[in-house]
């Protein structure tokens, strides 16, 4: 525990010192301290109190902690390489944000998670608006408003749960075997789930996500999709430990998976398109959490952080290099490193072997009910259909900057290859053929849909608020009715 907390404190301290001077040097120092901290406690440590009884905060390190620490530190290293020339407050803000994420991954207390989610939202807002583009600033404002409403719901849920059970310790709640037959408690748990869903960016709770991730500066998009939304996901995983909400999370995962794909199919802005796919990919993670497939959900969260970080980094380079955001306007104009990175990221997110997406989807589907496997196949089909529109972008034209792209490509390939070798069932011929068949069917679906332009609702701030509150009411009511 002492080693883990020293890593968090090093990140927060170095981040604050970076505002005074030498921002990149202090950020690099934080990374070194973070890696040393991770090595000191990996693969985990049992629960302990920071501060002692009766007000101490429970912390522990499990598989989720290990995975998110490794992911956060790796993405930080990538951004230190890719954004080495930035002189503004990016590096100090990034360092403090990652430190906050590391602390959240350790937390075993629902109120402490609320505080850390709140801090994460504020830091992310500043980073989103740091590009000083009007659309980015407005996307950041919408993000702040919606997440603050979500966190208010979460706070009300905390009050109801604490009033009924007298504790917010995740381990204590899990040990009690909480029964949600009490309507007040059921509503409280529903509000907790709704608040965490908003922070995570689930459909239709967190409709801030596509625009915020799409309009943010390139490196910020990598952070948001790579690690920040995973803190919301780990909060949902902790809630699943404490309360019997597995079926609810599976249903939320299915809705967010297909909701994100529906909008991604017809989105024309490259970065906003990737934002919608962050929404859809979160569906896989929630389904895994809801089914109790912790290893599969965690592996997919890490894999997604890597290949979506790669996609956003490549997309940002494409948009900045060409001065064009429309997918159609970028065809045949990308440098070789950017085109290759988009190709590797697309290959991974579609789930083709032997990259990270293939390995993670295979582990996630192991032991799942037949109907769930059908849902996962349908999600993969939709993913392949929507990513087919990027094929014209994969024709390279000239040289360009590699930066952190190579590091992410290596990680996507290495994680996929390593897991595939360690899981013999992923070497089966059928396991390799099936993703290509799905990808082919997805391309055929794309050809059939590309000329259609359905009038999908556009989510302005007022509509997003109504959607959030309506979904929260439905969720709380459904949990009360089910129990």
């Amino acid at each position: 525990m002492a080693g883990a907390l020293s890593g968090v404190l090093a990140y927060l301290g170095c981040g604050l010192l970076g505002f005074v001077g030498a921002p990149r040097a202090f950020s690099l120092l934080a990374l070194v301290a973070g890696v040393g901290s991770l090595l000191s406690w990996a693969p985990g440590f049992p629960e302990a109190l920071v501060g002692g009884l009766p007000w101490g905060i429970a912390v522990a390190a499990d598989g989720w902690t290990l995975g998110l620490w490794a992911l956060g530190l790796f993405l930080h290293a990538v951004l230190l390489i890719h954004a080495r020339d930035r002189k503004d407050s990016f590096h100090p803000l990034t360092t403090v944000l990652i430190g906050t994420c590391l602390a959240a991954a350790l937390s075993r207390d629902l109120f402490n998670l609320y505080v850390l989610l709140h801090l994460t939202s504020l830091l992310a807002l500043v980073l989103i608006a740091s590009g000083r583009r009007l659309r980015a600033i407005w996307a950041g404002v919408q993000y702040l408003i919606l997440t603050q409403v979500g966190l208010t719901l979460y706070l009300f849920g905390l009050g109801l749960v604490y009033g009924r059970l007298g504790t917010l310790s995740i381990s204590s709640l899990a040990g009690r075997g909480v029964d949600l037959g009490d309507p007040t408690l059921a509503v409280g748990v529903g509000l907790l789930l709704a608040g965490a869903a908003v922070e995570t960016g689930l459909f239709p709770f967190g409709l801030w996500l596509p625009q915020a991730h799409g309009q943010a500066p390139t490196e910020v998009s990598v952070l948001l999709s790579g690690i920040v939304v995973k803190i919301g996901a780990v909060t949902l995983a902790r809630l699943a430990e404490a309360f019997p909400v597995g079926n609810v999370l599976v249903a939320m995962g299915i809705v967010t998976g297909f909701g994100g794909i529906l909008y991604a199919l017809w989105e024309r802005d490259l970065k906003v398109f990737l934002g919608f796919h962050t929404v859809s990919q979160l569906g896989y993670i929630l389904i895994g959490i809801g089914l109790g497939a912790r290893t599969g959900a965690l592996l997919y969260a890490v894999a997604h952080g890597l290949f979506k970080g790669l996609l956003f980094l490549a997309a940002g380079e494409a948009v900045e290099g060409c001065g064009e955001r429309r997918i159609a306007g970028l065809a045949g104009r990308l440098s070789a490193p950017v085109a290759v990175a988009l190709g590797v990221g697309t290959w991974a997110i579609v789930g083709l072997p032997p990259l990270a997406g293939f390995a993670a989807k295979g582990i996630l589907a192991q032991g799942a009910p037949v109907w769930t496997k059908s849902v996962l196949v349908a999600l993969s089909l939709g993913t392949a259909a929507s990513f087919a529109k990027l094929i014209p972008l994969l024709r390279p034209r000239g040289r360009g900057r590699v930066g952190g792209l190579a590091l992410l490509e290596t990680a996507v390939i290495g994680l996929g290859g390593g897991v595939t070798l360690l899981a013999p069932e992923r070497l089966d011929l059928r396991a390799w053929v099936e993703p290509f068949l799905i990808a082919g069917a997805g391309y055929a679906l794309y050809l059939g849909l590309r000329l259609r332009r359905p009038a999908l609702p556009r989510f302005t701030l007022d509509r997003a608020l109504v959607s959030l509150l309506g979904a929260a009411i439905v969720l709380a009511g459904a949990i009360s009715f089910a129990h």
Side-chain angles (χ1 to χ4, degrees):
M1 182 185 74
L5 293 179
S6 67
V8 172
L9 292 175
Y11 256 90
L12 298 179
C14 289
L16 294 176
L17 289 172
F19 287 106
V20 179
R24 188 168 180 270
F26 276 114
S27 193
L28 179 59
L29 180 61
L31 176 61
V32 173
V35 172
S37 172
L38 175 60
L39 294 175
S40 74
W41 61 259
F45 60 85
E47 184 170 320
L49 289 179
V50 179
L53 293 172
W55 308 112
I57 299 172
V59 296
D62 58 4
W64 278 100
T65 313
L66 179 63
L68 293 185
W69 270 59
L71 176 62
L73 294 174
F74 182 80
L75 291 178
H76 190 194
V78 170
L79 294 180
L80 279 171
I81 294 172
H82 202 82
R84 60 182 178 273
D85 296 328
R86 291 194 62 161
K87 304 297 184 183
D88 56 9
S89 59
F90 170 77
H91 287 297
L93 285 169
T94 296
T95 305
V96 175
L97 177 58
I98 292 177
T100 306
C101 292
L102 300 183
L106 289 168
S107 180
R108 300 286 299 175
D109 181 270
L110 293 178
F111 182 77
N112 183 241
L113 279 171
Y114 163 78
V115 174
L116 293 168
L117 289 171
H118 214 301
L119 181 57
T120 299
S121 296
L122 296 176
L123 292 167
L125 164 66
V126 178
L127 282 166
I128 291 169
S130 65
R132 300 181 183 178
R133 294 173 51 249
L134 184 59
R135 287 190 176 185
I137 294 172
W138 177 235
V141 170
Q142 293 183 83
Y143 167 76
L144 180 65
I145 293 172
L146 291 171
T147 54
Q148 294 312 299
V149 171
L151 288 172
T152 301
L153 296 177
Y154 186 96
L155 187 60
F156 280 130
L158 285 177
L160 293 175
V161 170
Y162 187 78
R164 278 291 189 265
L165 301 177
T167 182
L168 295 176
S169 166
I170 294 167
S171 298
S172 296
L173 293 169
R176 290 188 180 191
V178 176
D179 181 9
L180 297 182
D182 181 346
T184 301
L185 183 57
V187 170
V189 172
L191 292 177
L192 288 174
L193 287 174
V198 176
E199 189 70 22
T200 310
L202 303 185
F203 188 94
F205 297 88
L207 299 176
W208 56 267
L209 190 153
Q211 286 297 327
H213 289 206
Q215 300 297 340
T218 299
E219 296 86 357
V220 178
S221 298
V222 173
L223 274 177
L224 294 177
S225 274
I227 187 65
V228 172
V229 296
K230 306 306 186 301
I231 301 308
V234 79
T235 302
L236 290 167
R238 302 309 188 202
L239 290 171
E241 289 183 48
F243 306 106
V245 292
N247 291 336
V248 175
L249 290 179
V250 171
M252 292 170 68
I254 293 172
V255 171
T256 199
F258 287 110
I261 286 173
L262 179 64
Y263 277 82
L265 279 167
W266 287 281
E267 179 57 54
R268 301 179 184 181
D269 184 302
L270 176 58
K271 290 187 66 180
V272 176
F273 163 78
L274 293 177
F276 277 117
H277 263 294
T278 294
V279 175
S280 73
Q281 296 295 297
L282 288 167
Y284 288 93
I285 301 170
L286 256 70
I287 290 172
I289 294 172
L291 291 175
R294 290 171 55 89
T295 301
L298 171 59
L299 181 59
Y300 202 85
V302 173
H304 174 263
L306 295 175
F307 59 65
K308 185 52 68 70
L310 175 62
L311 285 166
F312 263 118
L313 203 58
E317 288 293 312
V319 169
E320 293 169 11
C322 300
E324 173 66 74
R325 298 182 63 94
R326 293 179 304 109
I327 294 173
L330 291 167
R333 299 176 61 187
L334 307 187
S335 66
V338 171
V340 170
L342 276 179
V344 172
T346 298
W347 191 280
I349 199 171
V350 171
L352 297 177
L355 303 190
F358 165 76
K361 289 180 181 180
I363 299 299
L364 186 62
Q366 283 182 2
V370 175
W371 70 268
T372 309
K373 293 180 180 180
S374 300
V375 169
L376 296 176
V377 168
L379 288 174
S380 295
L381 180 67
T383 302
S386 55
F387 268 87
K389 72 176 78 170
L390 298 192
I391 292 177
L393 276 61
L394 306 183
R395 298 192 301 270
R397 180 182 177 182
R399 299 179 179 180
R401 183 165 77 112
V402 176
L405 294 173
L407 200 56
L408 281 167
E409 288 167 352
T410 302
V412 169
I413 296 170
L415 178 63
V419 174
T420 300
L421 291 175
L422 292 173
E425 62 276 5
R426 303 309 296 156
L427 296 173
D428 182 73
L429 180 61
R430 181 179 176 180
W432 282 58
V433 171
E434 184 179 279
F436 286 102
L437 295 177
I438 293 172
Y443 184 71
L445 180 61
Y446 160 73
L447 293 177
L449 295 176
R450 62 178 176 172
L451 298 180
R452 299 178 184 272
R453 289 287 182 269
L456 297 174
R458 285 296 164 187
F459 293 105
T460 54
L461 179 59
D462 55 342
R463 290 180 178 179
L465 282 168
V466 170
S467 175
L468 185 165
L469 295 173
I473 292 170
V474 170
L475 179 59
I479 293 177
S480 300
F481 179 78
H483 292 84

